[in-house]
Amino acid sequence: MTIDSVRGAPDTPKAAEPELVQLLTPEGERIEHPDYPLDLGAEDVRGLYRDLVIVRRIDQEAVALTRQGELGLWASLLGQEAAQIGSGRAASANDMVFPTYREHGVAWCRDVEPLKLLGMFRGINHGGWDPKEHGFHLYTVVIGSQTLHATGYAMGVQRDGVLGTPSAGATIAYFGDGATSQGDVNESFVFASVFNAPIVFFCQNNQWAISEPLERQSRIPLYKRAQGFGFPGIRVDGNDVFACLAVTKKALENARTGQGPTLVEAYTYRMGAHTTTDDPTRYRLKAEEEAWKLKDPIERVKAYLVRGDMADAGFFQKVEDEAKQITRELREACLALPDPEPLSMFDHVYGEEHPLMTEEQEQFAAYLASFEEEAK
Amino acid sequence: MSTLTLGKALNTGLRKAMENDPKVLVMGEDVGKLGGVFRITDGLQKDFGEERVIDTPLAESGIVGTAIGLALRGYRPVVEIQFDGFVFPAADQIITQLAKMRMRSLGALELPVVVRIPCGGGIGAVEHHSESPEAYFTHTAGLRVVACSNPLDAYSMIQQSIASPDPVVFFEPKRRYWDKAEVDTDADPADWTPLHRAAVVRPGEHATLLAYGPAVKTCLEAAGAAAEEGRELEVIDLRSLNPLDIGTVTDSVNRTGRCVVVHEAPVFNGYGAELAARITEKCFYRLESPVLRVGGFSTPYPPSRIEDHYLPDLDRILDAVDRTFAW
Ligand SMILES: Cc1ncc(C[n+]2csc(CCOP(=O)(O)OP(=O)(O)O)c2C)c(N)n1
């Protein structure tokens, strides 16, 4: 390659849509890929469909709750359900997941109660679940930070000497297209590569980082970055739950057996606003949204189920009813969430006694009590 | 005269600075079409183009690091850090590089970079969106650190900061972005309060309240409440944290004999510690009681449902005032 060819017209990330692994077309047709065989029974497919529908419903409910002032903020996953359910269901119990703040579908796969997610966005706490219990780390708001934690965690797994044995677990780190610009993410690629860490980097390229299009982060397709760091990168149709499942499964298995890191770029689209405080009409064209609507991740699974006579109207109704039930209960539980006690802000800050904090806590307790005295 | 919100005043100030000097650039995440998440740069890209209002990749170290390079090439970058909690990826560039290059080059290099940081809590946000990181930067020699508290100051101080030959860390109180006041946009800049001068925003004789940024308004409210009970509190808006206009502070405390410092950041090792130490040194014989501090606790910024308990409010300020009088 000459310098000129490098400098020439950039391989713009949007123009090129090469080597997109797809196992299910937008029309619901199953296609085979030589490297990613996937053997799913009807029951499995129905299970994935159920996951997709339920997480979309939960997400919609959370958006509604935010509009009604019950949550301070919500980062919607609308449009990204397949990327999250596919990759989330690819992970096994021993694997460890490091999410951003938008991985509600992955959280669902890891059995994290949706109410816990809502609690964080409501301002009840900054986390709320036990990452060890679920193999699902805390949400990370600072863009890219978690990719380094994930890499270090994977290095720990490697050091335990379990790779290649049945008890080996891989690590999977989630992040967005915007995050790929951060130093931390690039540093995590370096560490993962030179230490051959058992990790899968799962980038949901939803095309936008708030108002900034992918072209503001990269001039080459993101999956191609991996090569420069020395490990494989692969682009998958992020709206195809089968492809996300198959590709992530293989990447995780490679990690577990000591074959090192993989970058999976799930090519998808953020159908909603970045968060409930964002206004995408300021920067995004309606036509783009319309085009992506046709690639809806749920509709294509539905079409596949119908085509193959794997589900009838009764099944779809049942899933619908279940989703409604779950969200109704979720809403009620959310509204019933009590505010934390003011003094709880002093809890869990340190593992050992900390005299200054104890002093402040006691003073603040006395101060709060003085109001109760006055009220008497 | 026009009535402007603090946010709009910043926007107008940025616009003036860009009009007056073609070397002024605005850089950051989402500052272009979106106009920033708080719309402080609203409309600037439309009017000045993508070459001067630059949507950057999502990388704070990159933003400040390249701003340094642009400044070395004669530009005056004004960078926006989207939220206080996201300045830390850029802390390395700010602390180890931006602050020190002038001195290291024996004055040959000039780095007129402004780092704008929306700061503080009170907007019901999630983690990392409500921090008060001023102490980290005031502790670093070579940086000027200022905090505006009202629309007029926002308008003038942003322009003065851009004009400064030094790097300026510019704090904007995000929960005051929507506060309105009259701003004379035709005033002669020579008549503006100098950037590093503190302002007595409410005179009083019984005790001095020291504040900056978002806490100034709370202190003014506290002083209003105290006045109803016969206590006249003087309120000083420091405006500049580094350098500190200690003269204005000591003049006041020497008169009142009592002082309460208010800020949102944790009290321990916070900016108030510096103030208390300096005032004690300079006003020792005039003080009727120790300088007291009201601020955040020695905990991380709490979840939003209880942030009101963390932020200094009227009651906690007045409680501290009572304590200074009870001494
Ligand atoms: C270090 C840091 N800088 C800025 C922000 C503010 N911010 C929150 S989300 C976001 C865009 C993220 O885009 P991307 O990584 O593509 O993920 P997406 O939200 O699109 O899934 C920005 C700039 C942040 N959270 N952390």
Side-chain angles (χ1 to χ4, degrees), chain A residues 118-335:
Chain A
L118 265 56
M120 178 178 166
F121 286 95
R122 187 174 167 89
I124 299 290
N125 56 40
H126 290 322
W129 59 90
D130 177 357
K132 288 189 195 143
E133 182 191 334
H134 296 279
F136 187 77
H137 192 66
L138 302 171
Y139 272 8
T140 306
V141 171
V142 181
I143 299 293
S145 288
Q146 78 283 2
T147 59
L148 280 167
H149 313 155
T151 304
Y153 188 92
M155 288 162 63
V157 174
Q158 183 182 42
R159 260 158 194 69
D160 291 347
V162 291
L163 295 183
T165 74
S167 63
T171 300
I172 178 165
Y174 286 84
F175 51 98
D177 40 298
T180 64
S181 295
Q182 283 287 351
D184 278 4
V185 173
N186 287 275
E187 291 180 25
S188 72
F189 288 175
V190 172
F191 275 71
S193 176
V194 303
F195 294 114
N196 203 40
I199 184 168
V200 176
F201 293 108
F202 194 90
C203 175
Q204 285 168 85
N205 174 2
N206 66 10
Q207 316 291 323
W208 293 92
I210 310 189
S211 74
E212 301 200 0
L214 182 58
E215 291 87 340
R216 257 305 118 119
Q217 316 295 340
S218 181
R219 292 187 90 191
I220 62 163
L222 294 175
Y223 76 98
K224 286 196 177 175
R225 291 238 179 122
Q227 198 193 356
F229 288 93
F231 54 92
I234 176 110
R235 181 184 269 185
V236 55
D237 181 343
N239 286 22
D240 172 354
V241 70
F242 294 175
C244 290
L245 178 66
V247 168
T248 313
K249 254 197 167 145
K250 185 160 180 180
L252 286 166
E253 191 50 27
N254 284 347
R256 288 185 208 112
T257 52
Q259 296 173 68
T262 307
L263 168 63
V264 177
E265 177 194 358
Y267 195 78
T268 180
Y269 193 78
R270 187 190 87 208
M271 293 302 294
H274 167 72
T275 65
T276 40
T277 61
D278 176 40
D279 172 13
T281 61
R282 282 181 158 251
Y283 53 83
R284 201 158 79 179
L285 292 175
K286 200 90 198 133
E288 192 181 271
E289 286 171 42
E290 293 302 321
W292 277 91
K293 257 188 204 159
L294 303 174
K295 304 183 192 178
D296 187 83
I298 301 185
E299 286 308 313
R300 69 173 79 177
V301 179
K302 188 171 190 180
Y304 176 66
L305 282 168
V306 172
R307 272 166 184 262
D309 252 344
M310 286 176 280
D312 55 15
F315 166 76
F316 293 117
Q317 191 56 49
K318 213 177 98 210
V319 171
E320 205 53 30
D321 292 345
E322 190 189 359
K324 255 191 211 146
Q325 178 68 17
I326 289 173
T327 48
R328 191 178 317 123
E329 286 169 13
L330 181 62
R331 158 172 288 269
E332 280 165 19
C334 177
L335 299 183

Side-chain angles (χ1 to χ4, degrees), chain B residues 9 36 62 76 105 125 128 145 150 175 214 217 249 278 292 299 311 326:
Chain B
R76 303 185 96 81
S105 69
H128 312 298
V145 180
N150 62 72
R175 72 183 146 117
K217 186 173 176 185
V249 173
R278 240 159 241 278
L292 296 184
T299 70
L311 294 170

Side-chain angles (χ1 to χ4, degrees), chain B residues 144-148 157 161 168-171 195-196 239-241:
Chain B
R144 292 177 183 272
V145 180
V146 305
C148 60
M157 287 171 72
S161 298
V168 179
V169 176
F170 190 95
F171 284 104
L195 183 59
H196 299 294
R239 299 171 83 254
S240 175
L241 306 185

Side-chain angles (χ1 to χ4, degrees), chain A residues 126 182 211-212 216 339 360, chain B residues 30 55-56 60 298 305:
Chain A
H126 290 322
Q182 283 287 351
S211 74
E212 301 200 0
R216 257 305 118 119
D339 282 357
E360 287 183 8
Chain B
D30 304 290
D55 268 331
T56 63
E60 287 75 11
S298 297
R305 286 270 162 166

Side-chain angles (χ1 to χ4, degrees), chain A residues 36-65:
Chain A
Y36 302 101
L38 184 68
D39 190 15
L40 291 178
E43 192 55 39
D44 300 323
V45 182
R46 284 194 294 265
L48 290 171
Y49 178 82
R50 173 179 171 270
D51 287 337
L52 293 168
V53 170
I54 291 174
V55 302
R56 178 170 291 183
R57 277 311 189 87
I58 291 172
D59 186 73
Q60 285 170 336
E61 196 63 36
V63 171
L65 283 162

Side-chain angles (χ1 to χ4, degrees), chain A residues 22-139:
Chain A
Q22 193 178 64
L23 301 182
L24 186 64
T25 69
E27 293 74 35
E29 261 172 281
R30 185 74 168 81
I31 36 182
E32 294 297 332
H33 190 291
D35 299 335
Y36 302 101
L38 184 68
D39 190 15
L40 291 178
E43 192 55 39
D44 300 323
V45 182
R46 284 194 294 265
L48 290 171
Y49 178 82
R50 173 179 171 270
D51 287 337
L52 293 168
V53 170
I54 291 174
V55 302
R56 178 170 291 183
R57 277 311 189 87
I58 291 172
D59 186 73
Q60 285 170 336
E61 196 63 36
V63 171
L65 283 162
T66 312
R67 300 256 178 269
Q68 291 153 15
E70 297 296 340
L71 304 182
L73 181 87
W74 183 252
S76 166
L77 60 49
L78 187 67
Q80 301 179 219
E81 295 89 348
Q84 295 197 12
I85 296 300
S87 60
R89 287 295 178 209
S92 54
N94 277 344
D95 296 335
M96 182 69 192
V97 178
F98 285 82
T100 69
Y101 44 79
R102 201 189 289 282
E103 268 66 80
H104 322 312
V106 188
W108 170 258
C109 297
R110 305 303 282 182
D111 291 328
V112 175
E113 239 185 296
L115 183 65
K116 298 267 169 77
L117 309 178
L118 265 56
M120 178 178 166
F121 286 95
R122 187 174 167 89
I124 299 290
N125 56 40
H126 290 322
W129 59 90
D130 177 357
K132 288 189 195 143
E133 182 191 334
H134 296 279
F136 187 77
H137 192 66
L138 302 171
Y139 272 8

